[in-house]
Amino acid sequence: MGIDQVRWGVVATGNISTQFTRDLAELDDAVATAVASRSLDSAHKFADTFGIEHRYDDYRQLIESGTVDVLYIGTPHPQHYGIARAALQAGVAVLCEKPVTLTARQARDLVAVAREHNTLFAEAMWMRTNPVVQAMFADLAKGVIGEPMEALADFGFHKPQLPARLLDPALGGGALMDGGIYPMTFVHMALGRPDEVKAVGALTDDGVDLNVAMAWRYDSGAVAALTCGLRSQNPWTASVSGPEGSLLLPNRFHHPEYYVRSTAAGQERVDVAVHGLGYHYEAAEVMRALRAGQIECPALPHAATIEILELLDETRRQIGVSYPGDDEYLGG
Ligand SMILES: NC(=O)c1ccc[n+]([C@@H]2O[C@H](COP(=O)([O-])OP(=O)(O)OC[C@H]3O[C@@H](n4cnc5c(N)ncnc54)[C@H](OP(=O)(O)O)[C@@H]3O)[C@@H](O)[C@H]2O)c1
């Protein structure tokens, strides 16, 4: 694809859309050309902040406008599916926030629509494209700790005032879908898909999970412990270990500045240069795939997105968290 500057459209003007669009400025070959919000006022405000030309109060108008090559979707999770599907059907590439859908079935459908319309589709699991995370996993692949046998990963924080979205079942609330997806992704990257999953969770009266603990077992003998929560200031770290040592991503492990390698040679802090907040790395991967005419971004693979949503489906089933529309989209 002979694109000098890839034109990005942004759907939603909330927290993550703001961070993502700020980071997009790190890329000379990217430009935000359009934004859609539920309110034209918000669209104007956002567009004025980032110098965006086209503003809409309906995401469908943005998709049909012909002003963008790729759409970034930063709405709450339940809205992802419909917006992504509409864009893919119109042949507009999609980078959609995590979790890309509420269920694996919906994600499989989006991959099918992407294939049918020969259009790129990717989940914005930015951790996968972080240079520190990539360097740590390159070490793991080199065998510096031997065969990985255990992983520990935790994503938990507490804020006096949690965003309402996180406690609202209608907005896909809960610790698991928002934060738990990171430990799950880390362990899936480290050990692959587990052969057995067990989970317990503490829920609000509205049925939203505040804390979740998961145990994964592998036929190889490997095991993993994963936690996520909205009630405590957790270590927020992730590690993988084997007979020769361990690799650890420190606090806020999903966008770290270094990792720690512990082997017989000693303990070493490994620094890797990162700049910006780190969202531009996923954007750059998407643009690379777009220019190569790919419908799947190698760094953000469809199969992993679907497998993790299958694990999220099963975990939600075990801890008793359901969302409106689950009946239609779970299973199958
Ligand atoms: N990658 C990351 O680091 C990261 C971090 C945080 C969140 N996320 C993901 O990003 C998504 C959004 O999270 P956020 O923290 O940005 O949420 P947020 O601050 O609440 O923003 C969400 C935006 O979505 C739009 N929206 C559309 N339909 C909505 C509805 N029914 N109710 C509320 N808002 C609606 C709103 O923008 P308009 O008013 O302009 O329509 C709203 O500002 C989630 O899926 C979350 O998992 C990712």
Side-chain angles (χ1 to χ4, degrees):
M1 197 181 251
I3 307 175
D4 289 337
Q5 268 201 319
V6 172
R7 301 170 305 162
W8 287 80
V10 178
V11 174
T13 58
N15 159 47
I16 195 62
S17 292
T18 303
Q19 298 189 50
F20 176 84
T21 309
R22 189 174 297 137
D23 251 15
L24 210 52
E26 300 270 342
L27 302 175
D28 291 340
D29 55 350
V31 58
T33 48
V35 58
S37 169
R38 291 167 303 167
S39 114
L40 203 52
D41 266 0
S42 297
H44 280 311
K45 223 176 268 168
F46 191 91
D48 289 344
T49 302
F50 294 108
I52 296 173
E53 186 178 354
H54 305 282
R55 300 109 193 255
Y56 304 94
D57 60 3
D58 180 344
Y59 69 86
R60 285 178 190 277
Q61 287 173 14
L62 191 166
I63 289 169
E64 288 158 14
S65 67
T67 59
V68 305
D69 302 305
V70 52
L71 198 64
Y72 168 80
I73 302 171
T75 64
H77 339 314
Q79 281 75 30
H80 294 170
Y81 176 63
I83 300 169
R85 201 171 201 283
L88 293 170
Q89 282 183 313
V92 175
V94 168
L95 173 65
C96 180
E97 264 312 328
K98 41 56 61 177
V100 76
T101 52
L102 290 179
T103 67
R105 191 180 220 177
Q106 289 173 316
R108 280 193 288 271
D109 176 61
L110 290 183
V111 170
V113 176
R115 288 202 186 118
E116 186 187 339
H117 293 271
N118 196 29
T119 302
L120 183 139
F121 167 61
E123 179 174 35
M125 179 35 84
W126 65 312
M127 182 179 82
R128 290 182 185 278
T129 62
N130 179 286
V132 182
V133 174
Q134 291 190 336
M136 195 220 82
F137 277 100
D139 249 7
L140 182 68
K142 267 191 258 157
V144 297
I145 63 163
E147 183 69 18
M149 292 307 292
E150 193 166 315
L152 301 167
D154 165 69
F155 192 110
F157 60 86
H158 174 72
K159 286 183 184 165
Q161 204 72 43
L162 280 173
R165 167 178 83 72
L166 288 177
L167 297 172
D168 186 347
L171 292 178
L176 181 70
M177 297 297 264
D178 225 80
I181 190 169
Y182 288 106
M184 292 168 91
T185 299
F186 176 86
V187 177
H188 189 270
M189 288 170 82
L191 299 174
R193 188 194 181 111
D195 297 298
E196 187 183 4
V197 170
K198 292 207 167 128
V200 289
L203 313 190
T204 65
D205 292 344
D206 292 331
V208 164
D209 54 294
L210 292 175
N211 295 78
V212 182
M214 294 166 262
W216 290 7
R217 187 195 62 77
Y218 295 79
D219 289 345
S220 65
V223 290
L226 308 84
T227 48
C228 60
L230 297 170
R231 310 194 79 171
S232 47
Q233 303 294 6
N234 288 11
W236 213 333
T237 60
S239 65
V240 54
S241 43
E244 315 298 333
S246 66
L247 298 165
L248 175 124
L249 297 172
N251 187 269
R252 293 184 184 242
F253 75 85
H254 59 310
H255 59 111
E257 286 168 10
Y258 66 94
Y259 67 98
V260 179
R261 182 199 296 133
S262 304
T263 63
Q267 193 171 76
E268 189 186 350
R269 173 182 160 138
V270 185
D271 284 277
V272 180
V274 279
H275 55 103
L277 290 168
Y279 294 102
H280 55 94
Y281 296 115
E282 61 182 357
E285 292 292 347
V286 164
M287 299 199 313
R288 196 169 299 134
L290 206 55
R291 289 191 165 106
Q294 296 169 312
I295 64 160
E296 179 173 15
C297 190
L300 303 165
H302 291 161
T305 289
I306 290 169
E307 280 191 15
I308 284 163
L309 271 157
E310 286 169 352
L311 292 161
L312 282 165
D313 286 353
E314 173 58 17
T315 306
R316 285 206 290 124
R317 191 189 66 72
Q318 289 189 20
I319 65 175
V321 170
S322 58
Y323 298 123
D326 267 357
D327 289 349
E328 190 182 344
Y329 290 114
L330 271 176

